[in-house]
Amino acid sequence: MRYRSLGHSLLYWLGWLVAAIALGIVICRLLAESLWFHHLGYAGVLWLRWGVQGLLLIFVVGLSGLFYRWHQRRAYQQCTVTLDAELTAHSRYRGLGLLGLLSAAAGLIGLLIVATYHIGAIAVQLWQQRSDMTINTPLLPQLSVWRAADLLQQILQNPWLLLVSAGTLILGLWAPLHLFRGISVILSLAMGAIALMSWSAVLTGVFGVSDPHTEPLFHRSISFYLFRLPLLELLRLWLVNLSVVSLAGVALTYLLANDSLSHGKFLGFVRSQRRHLQGLSAFVFATVAFSFWLERYKLLYSTNGAAFGAGYTDVTVRLPLYGWLCVSALAVAMLLGWSAIRQGGRGQRRLGPIAPGLFSFTLGYLVVILVADWLLPNAIEAAIVEPNQLERELPYIQRTITHTREGFNLDTMRVEPFQPENNLNAEIIAANEATTRNIRVWDTRPLLETNRQLQQLRSYYRFPAAFLDRYSLKLANQQATPELRQVLIAAREIDYSAVQQFARSWINEHLVFTHGYGFTMSPVNTAEANGLPKYFVRDIGENGELLTFPPQLRENFPFFYPRLYYGELTNTYIFAPSHVPELDFPRGSDNVYNHYDGSGGVAISAWWRRLIYAVYFRDWQVLLTPNLRPDSRVLFRRTIQERVQAIAPFLRIDSEPYLVIADPRSESDIKASHRSAGVSYLYWIIDAYTLSRHYPYADPGKHSFNYIRNSVKIVVDAYNGDVTFYVVEPEDVILRTWQRIFPQLFRPISAMPHRLYTHIRYPVDMLQIQSEQLLQYHMTDPVVFYNREDLWQIPQEIYRETPQSVAPYYLITKLPIGYTEEFVLLVPFTPVNRPNLIGWLAARSDGQNYGKLLLYVFPKQELVFGPEQMEARINQDPLISQQISLWNRQGSRSVQGNLLIIPIERSLLYVEPIYLEASQNSLPTLARVIVMDNERLVMAPTLEEGLKQLFPAAS
């Protein structure tokens, strides 16, 4: 006994020790996150989020637990009622035999299994999609007849689930109340987890701002669908879970009480049991009524008709039937509720079912649901709608067109006719020099391949991406004003995974290899004589300065020690400054070292902070290393996407952040001092989006959302790590809601430094999504839309001998409605099954025109060559095909680059570069440039020569 007592004591204290360690780890992680947010100035954002999540978890788990516990205690008290001979003698209820009893018990246990699996599957799904669900609240699957049948099928097809279900069935028959208790604990925790992960839906549902726009069916504000409906769906999931599980658990407990299974007969429920079950049944029918009330609004996302959203059958059949089902369920709930609370009868003197006719009514109700949701709508669709579908569906198609264009921000797009004049000549080309000198002949892929061989400098440097942007540059000493040039910029980042294996150590990873250095900048329109890219900025000089060509370019940029502590590859946590010098940049065969003097990172001098981050990183070297100084800081979350997502997980981040070189100070400060201590000159700009899948009548197409706005520009300091959120679309109702929730997070775009503001650009991801929707939804006439008379497609081009869709591309050009050259993003369109050009969409990026869309439509009766036709002309040209064949036979291969269509005044110019690369150890060079108009085609060594050949000057 003594040893047993000692063992119990050891287990007791061991349990407390494990709990204390777990609690300590949680506290350390919370403190580490809190210090990081506080350093960035966003502690309020974190504490509000955590506070809401904590309250939701406590509220849902606590209330669910109390609800279940109350009914379990009531069931425990009532299931001990003794069924004496007198009570049995007065009963007129026939009861259930052994087979009926087993069937009823098995059915209730099956319902508990399905409900548990339903909630558990949702919790697991949301956990797997937790990064996306905060951005775009998912449509939660609700427990219905169809959902239960689907879940049951999944269980039967999975041997492990089937085994667990069989064990649950046995436990339920043996100890029903214990099963009910166990399932209630699991479901309370699962529902709490779902509520915790749905914090964004709760916040936006409570604080959502109103929107003046309404939908045409219920005439409710768009805000109701974007914010309130997801919250009501979450509430519905919780209430259905509480009601169904409680009713099934209590009914099972009463059904198997008094050893009814041993006796092989269930005699009936006593009056107190019936009142309990009637109250729970009333709760179930009330949630059913609530569900059908919500289903009415979800018809606006129906896919049953000729177009997305509520169609003729939905409005004329399903909507009134859902209303009737809602009212009838509510009426039954009220009757059951009244029966549960009313006094009367002789107490326990009568045995019987829950309520007379309830089982029959429920079965009939399920049949009505089947008819209302499937049989009758399909019959109406086949008999009435399909014979005259266009006339029936016409007003609903118009709604879909209107709301889809609104959801994808296409309703403000300006549409202009474009009548090609095809009159390009040397004079027009000369008059549009600002356009032609910015025609891109370097694609990002060959440039990056060349950069990695010529500009990487060390094996641990990488160029993860190249970015297109525009800068005003002085390229000649006598040049009075700078000229606008389109350039390709690539950041030279450090990639610790590329460090040689023998050189990897804790000190090197966290103290030495801390940052990248510099960037390259190349003009897009030209190359060196040997075909390699020309560089405006390249290499690293003896003293750490970046080399410029021509030298006077140095006046255009603040080139002071361009260190990149934050970027796309900086995925290690580092400590800086420290007693160990950091690798700064290579100088010949040696390296130059430096100590970080920025403001980034969390101070880590105190021992307790070192302990916190040792636990946070699971790295005890943080606590034990002697190399940290009193002013050392820990810099972590250094990849810019992860950094931004941690602060604002409710924003979708663009796939292409880009580097900007700019002095953020005011013009007067710049004139007073060419360089300022503590000022960073390298910044990342990231586009961010607000999304929703709940915009009424808006067709999502192939996307998981039907509403999108590019409302935020995020600026990340590449040296200090500061993150600033600027609002570029203040009318966005979703962003206004988040501004209401986190007012300290966002700044107006007018607060962005001017030299950074001149580099914002319309994002490729956004235009690609809009252009995909425009393929159908440029048709605003519902008759044309219904007949699909004018469907468009994104044209194809050949790249590296592989067909691919033409991606949106940046140009500097003067639009037909513009007065000067501007930076635009352009994508062309062709009709379905025809290769000729039908239109092009331009997104503007400069100044007050930022974000404006222009759709230029070509006349259908005229032939305007599309990219595929131009590719065919190139491949059919005997001189070009002969030259390409010759290159491909000499140990090298030719690569056709992106085909660009450049609008110049009222004509089109086509340009495609051809690169040459060796079969082994590829180093792409620009071999030729093909220049074309609607009639002629030339191939020349450079773009300039090609233009001169295609448009010779008049003698």
Side-chain angles (χ1 to χ4, degrees), residues 790 792 829-831 834 836-840 856-860:
D790 192 23
W792 292 354
F829 300 107
T830 60
R834 285 188 293 154
N836 58 288
L837 210 61
I838 193 62
W840 51 278
Y856 286 95
V857 181
F858 296 103
K860 296 179 182 179

Side-chain angles (χ1 to χ4, degrees), residues 346-546:
R346 298 176 57 196
Q348 298 181 0
R349 303 312 301 170
R350 182 168 58 88
L351 297 175
I354 298 175
L358 179 61
F359 182 72
S360 301
F361 177 83
T362 303
L363 286 180
Y365 195 80
L366 292 176
V367 171
V368 173
I369 292 175
L370 176 66
V371 171
D373 209 29
W374 186 62
L375 292 177
L376 184 58
N378 286 346
I380 296 295
E381 187 76 22
I384 298 176
V385 178
E386 289 182 3
N388 194 18
Q389 191 175 45
L390 177 57
E391 181 180 342
R392 302 285 187 188
E393 299 282 8
L394 202 62
Y396 308 107
I397 294 173
Q398 185 61 65
R399 293 176 182 180
T400 300
I401 295 171
T402 301
H403 286 76
T404 301
R405 289 170 66 90
E406 289 175 0
F408 289 89
N409 209 19
L410 297 172
D411 56 319
T412 58
M413 176 182 63
R414 180 174 174 180
V415 182
E416 293 282 338
F418 190 94
Q419 180 68 47
E421 296 177 354
N422 299 322
N423 61 348
L424 288 179
N425 54 41
E427 290 75 18
I428 293 176
I429 294 295
N432 290 273
E433 184 188 3
T435 297
T436 56
R437 71 175 173 229
N438 285 294
I439 295 174
R440 177 168 58 86
V441 297
W442 278 104
D443 302 334
T444 56
R445 281 173 279 190
L447 179 81
L448 284 173
E449 289 175 13
T450 305
N451 263 11
R452 287 160 186 160
Q453 297 195 48
L454 301 182
Q455 290 295 311
Q456 202 157 285
L457 305 182
R458 290 287 192 272
S459 62
Y460 44 76
Y461 284 134
R462 289 286 184 271
F463 291 97
F467 324 106
L468 279 162
D469 203 352
R470 70 286 198 197
Y471 285 81
S472 294
L473 305 175
K474 285 188 177 181
L475 300 174
N477 289 324
Q478 294 78 25
Q479 192 172 346
T481 57
E483 62 185 59
L484 189 64
R485 295 298 296 267
Q486 186 176 195
V487 295
L488 275 163
I489 297 175
R492 186 183 292 108
E493 296 196 48
I494 197 154
D495 181 7
Y496 187 76
S497 65
V499 172
Q500 297 295 325
Q501 191 67 38
F502 64 83
R504 295 189 185 185
S505 65
W506 190 90
I507 288 178
N508 277 346
E509 181 177 359
H510 301 295
L511 304 180
V512 177
F513 291 93
T514 57
H515 60 277
Y517 199 95
F519 55 89
T520 65
M521 179 183 288
S522 306
V524 298
N525 67 319
T526 187
E528 299 286 2
N530 57 6
L532 292 173
K534 181 177 284 189
Y535 290 99
F536 285 157
V537 181
R538 71 181 190 192
D539 299 331
I540 302 174
E542 288 289 316
N543 298 317
E545 74 281 5
L546 302 183

